[in-house]
């Protein structure tokens, strides 16, 4: 099991005593109807979700998340013969998405306690890959629309005057629709040695994967 999975499971297990306290009697905490926070998904480095949650009944809340993120990487490879740098590669990814959801509290009163949460997500991603060698420059761009649904089991605990800490585990199913464009350009002196120009194609795929989330925010 991955370390991050163990972390999430440990967080959920560690609040079991708190859940028993909530179920044992009515809460004396001040009524809180709104939670604003920032959520991260450990499997998606560089992506954060700005979340808003509103209590609509003692056992139900609704929420909306805005996902955004940017990552950039660079690397290179050396020639096995000369030891000199042979190829340079770089990539960048920008993500923007939105996701409504609901939470149904099994233990405790919203927004604090043990909950299950179904949700929907729409995400737009732009990815660019660039490989520069001695003879050519290969510039690739990928644009992806993702439509998906999530199901999460999690826990929210409110500390002090309103610090909200949340952890959840679950699964997601999504459909990806992508457009891919590749443009190869020959460097001076290497013209005519290999095919150049632009090519494009489209693809579709279904993905089923696990989903982990950790969130920190403020309840009021």
């Amino acid at each position: 099991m991955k370390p991050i999975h163990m972390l999430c499971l440990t967080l959920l297990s560690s609040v079991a005593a708190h859940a028993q306290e909530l179920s044992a009697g009515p809460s004396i905490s001040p009524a809180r109807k709104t939670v604003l926070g920032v959520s991260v998904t450990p499997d998606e480095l560089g992506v954060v979700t700005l979340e808003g949650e509103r209590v609509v009944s003692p056992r139900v809340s609704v929420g909306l998340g805005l996902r955004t993120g940017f990552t950039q990487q660079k690397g290179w490879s050396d020639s096995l013969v000369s030891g000199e740098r042979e190829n340079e590669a770089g990539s960048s990814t920008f993500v923007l998405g939105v996701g409504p959801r609901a939470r149904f509290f099994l233990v405790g009163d919203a927004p604090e306690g043990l909950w299950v949460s179904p949700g929907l997500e729409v995400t737009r991603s732009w990815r660019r890959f660039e490989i520069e060698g001695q003879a050519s420059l290969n510039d690739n761009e990928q644009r992806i629309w993702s439509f998906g649904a999530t199901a999460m089991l999690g826990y929210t605990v409110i500390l002090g005057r309103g610090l909200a800490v949340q952890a959840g585990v679950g699964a997601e199913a999504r459909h990806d629709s992508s457009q891919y464009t590749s443009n190869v350009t020959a460097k001076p002196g290497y013209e005519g040695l290999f095919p150049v120009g632009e090519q494009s194609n489209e693809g579709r795929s279904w993905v089923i994967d696990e989903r982990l989330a950790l969130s920190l925010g403020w309840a009021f």
Side-chain angles (χ1 to χ4, degrees):
M1 182 174 291
K2 298 179 182 179
I4 192 62
H5 300 178
M6 293 296 300
L7 174 61
C8 290
L9 292 175
T10 300
L11 288 172
L12 291 176
S13 300
S14 66
V15 299
H18 188 73
Q20 292 177 355
E21 293 177 3
L22 289 175
S23 61
S27 173
I28 60 175
S29 301
R32 298 180 174 94
K33 299 294 185 181
T34 304
V35 179
L36 298 178
V38 177
S39 175
V40 296
T41 302
D43 289 346
E44 294 181 294
L45 297 179
V47 178
V48 299
T49 301
L50 306 179
E51 294 184 324
E53 180 181 357
R54 181 67 178 175
V55 175
V56 296
S57 77
R59 294 286 184 174
V60 181
S61 70
V62 295
L64 185 68
L66 176 63
R67 303 179 72 229
T68 184
F70 177 78
T71 58
Q72 189 171 28
Q73 296 178 331
K74 290 186 177 181
W76 60 86
S77 62
D78 297 332
S79 173
L80 296 177
V81 178
S82 63
E84 298 180 353
R85 184 171 298 183
E86 188 175 36
N87 295 302
E88 293 187 12
S91 67
S92 61
T93 302
F94 178 69
V95 177
L96 186 63
V98 64
R101 59 167 170 75
R103 284 181 177 170
F104 302 94
F105 286 77
L106 307 177
V107 177
D109 293 332
E112 185 176 20
L114 180 69
W115 44 260
V116 293
S117 176
L120 300 174
E121 286 186 354
V122 179
T123 304
R124 179 66 163 171
S125 304
W126 294 265
R127 297 176 180 173
R128 187 172 182 177
F129 312 88
E130 187 175 272
I131 302 175
E132 183 176 3
Q134 295 180 348
S136 66
L137 175 64
N138 192 339
D139 190 5
N140 309 289
E141 184 176 357
Q142 188 177 24
R143 298 176 296 277
I144 305 173
W145 276 109
S146 298
F147 303 89
T150 62
M152 302 284 290
L153 171 67
Y155 196 92
T156 301
V157 58
I158 299 177
L159 307 173
R161 296 185 177 182
L163 179 64
V165 182
Q166 305 178 6
V169 297
E172 66 171 332
R174 72 175 188 269
H175 179 260
D176 293 341
S177 177
S178 63
Q179 294 180 326
Y180 182 82
T181 302
S182 175
N183 187 19
V184 179
T185 304
K187 290 188 174 182
Y190 294 91
E191 297 89 346
L193 298 181
F194 48 83
V196 296
E198 183 176 286
Q199 297 181 350
S200 61
N201 57 63
E202 298 181 355
R204 298 177 182 272
S205 63
W206 280 97
V207 178
I208 298 178
D209 202 356
E210 59 195 10
R211 170 63 67 90
L212 311 173
L214 300 172
S215 176
L216 188 66
W218 191 259
F220 55 92

